[in-house]
DNA sequence: CTATATATTCCGACCGTTCGGTATGTTTTT
DNA sequence: AAAAACATACCGAACGGTCGGAATATATAG
């Protein structure tokens, strides 16, 4: 609790990951931080402003994926690393109290939907992020084909999209069902399509 | 505008598909229907109640998928039918003004998230729906293996989940990017994993 | 057919509460 | 003492919801 400003940001992030912007009230933010309204408005000029910063922070820390850090040896090792990073993310989500027991009580889509609606610049950033993710996967697929790791007539980008969408769909089910511990069930799915693309 | 009650329900559905429960105000519902507050509260006892009915309607009429109506000749014809049904759903969404030009301005996840939060009975219904979908896909996969259409060592349920999650992840991207016309891009993805599972 | 009684549908002013935000402090730090 | 950090009382607007009654439709009676 050294840095009050950061404390407010962390608390707000936690709240905005649990409910939508409208559902999170100033009263709630103030009470959860243990501060007062005066303190809050000393650091932020409005609820919108703290939301903006929360989104920025979340993007750079959570969503932004440094794909260059993942193994580029093979497609298999790439998605294995990818899955490992995902599990780590869930673990760090648990550390800030977003997982109680086995139950997920966070949903980053709240943040995403609100950001898309409220922050005009966000949509472009998000599309860029998506494009980067697609490019990273596509590159790996391309080199996996070159190396002979996989051998499929399906266009590289389609294979990349298959991995991405499969992961996203799985993640959505995870969030809705609230079962954080089932993250490991994604690997068999990736293994399955991987086998298919090898043939 | 014959049946006022139904008119309110349709209008509310449209609104609840565009924003969250909290974001939709009574003022908005009343003004969009062209009625008055008194008229609204003559038919519904609260905003929550109309939401409940909207959710019921949406589930039973929109979202609910009659898998028995899809072709059971083969896995390929099954998912082809599935995709066709999806396209029809988008078309009917367009008919009630949820698609302007090429842009999706609906997001059924608003409805889903709110329903999961507010309606205790909903989670079970939703899980049941998911289970039914999984069962339908799994059955098809099983018989596709028996008939020799596909020949994969991957468990039937995993294959089923791959199709489902891939579709969901794709749908999520569609909604977020707002590009309703790109629905057809899912077929190549399905074809891709289908080829893989045949080997 | 008309007139009256009764039920339904709809209206909009109004209510209490909560919302985000402000003004004006008091405490703490430098 | 000056400034930064925090607290609290308060504000107007917007919220969901209520209420008495007007308008309209339907049923009944003469």
């Amino acid at each position: 609790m050294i840095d009050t400003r950061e404390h407010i940001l962390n608390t707000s992030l936690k709240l905005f990951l649990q409910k939508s912007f409208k559902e999170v009230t100033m009263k709630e933010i103030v009470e959860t931080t243990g501060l007062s309204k005066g303190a809050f408005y000393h650091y932020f000029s409005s609820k919108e402003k703290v939301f903006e910063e929360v989104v920025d922070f979340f993007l750079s820390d959570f969503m932004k994926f440094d794909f260059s850090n993942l193994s580029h040896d093979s497609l298999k090792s790439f998605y294995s690393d990818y899955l490992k990073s995902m599990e780590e993310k869930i673990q760090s989500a648990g550390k800030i109290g977003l997982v109680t027991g086995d139950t997920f009580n966070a949903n980053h889509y709240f943040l995403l939907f609100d950001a898309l609606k409220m922050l005009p610049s966000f949509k472009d950033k998000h599309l860029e992020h998506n494009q980067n993710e697609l490019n990273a996967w596509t590159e790996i697929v391309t080199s996996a084909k070159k190396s002979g790791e996989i051998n499929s007539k399906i266009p590289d980008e389609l294979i990349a999209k298959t991995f991405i969408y499969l992961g996203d769909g799985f993640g959505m089910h995870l969030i809705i069902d609230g079962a954080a511990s089932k993250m490991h069930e994604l690997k068999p799915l990736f293994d399955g399509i991987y086998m298919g693309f090898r043939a």
Side-chain angles (χ1 to χ4, degrees), chain A residues 63-70:
Chain A
M63 209 169 114
K64 199 172 187 179
F65 217 89
D66 194 0
F67 291 100
S68 58
N69 270 356
L70 302 182

Side-chain angles (χ1 to χ4, degrees), chain A residues 30-134:
Chain A
V30 161
E31 279 176 2
T32 312
T33 52
L35 295 170
S36 66
K37 264 191 167 174
F40 177 92
Y41 281 98
H42 176 70
Y43 292 101
F44 299 94
S45 60
S46 71
K47 192 183 158 191
E48 271 87 2
K49 275 275 182 291
V50 80
F51 178 76
E52 273 187 56
E53 287 207 31
V54 160
V55 168
D56 267 0
F57 172 75
F58 182 75
L59 270 189
S60 53
D61 236 57
F62 258 72
M63 209 169 114
K64 199 172 187 179
F65 217 89
D66 194 0
F67 291 100
S68 58
N69 270 356
L70 302 182
S71 166
H72 282 59
D73 297 343
S74 65
L75 173 57
K76 175 120 189 165
S77 64
F78 180 82
Y79 78 66
S80 295
D81 267 22
Y82 178 84
L83 290 169
K84 210 186 295 170
S85 295
M86 285 296 183
E87 300 239 27
E88 280 165 14
K89 257 165 220 243
I90 289 190
Q91 273 198 316
S92 60
K95 287 211 174 102
I96 58 170
L98 290 172
V99 182
T100 53
D102 180 31
T103 307
F104 242 141
N105 40 28
N107 183 344
H108 72 278
Y109 286 106
F110 283 129
L111 211 60
L112 187 62
F113 292 158
D114 281 327
L116 284 170
K117 212 180 278 179
M118 295 169 54
L119 311 177
S121 68
F122 182 80
K123 179 147 190 175
D124 291 333
K125 281 191 210 164
H126 180 65
L127 286 179
E128 192 192 327
H129 166 79
N130 277 357
Q131 192 58 53
N132 286 342
E133 182 167 12
L134 180 59

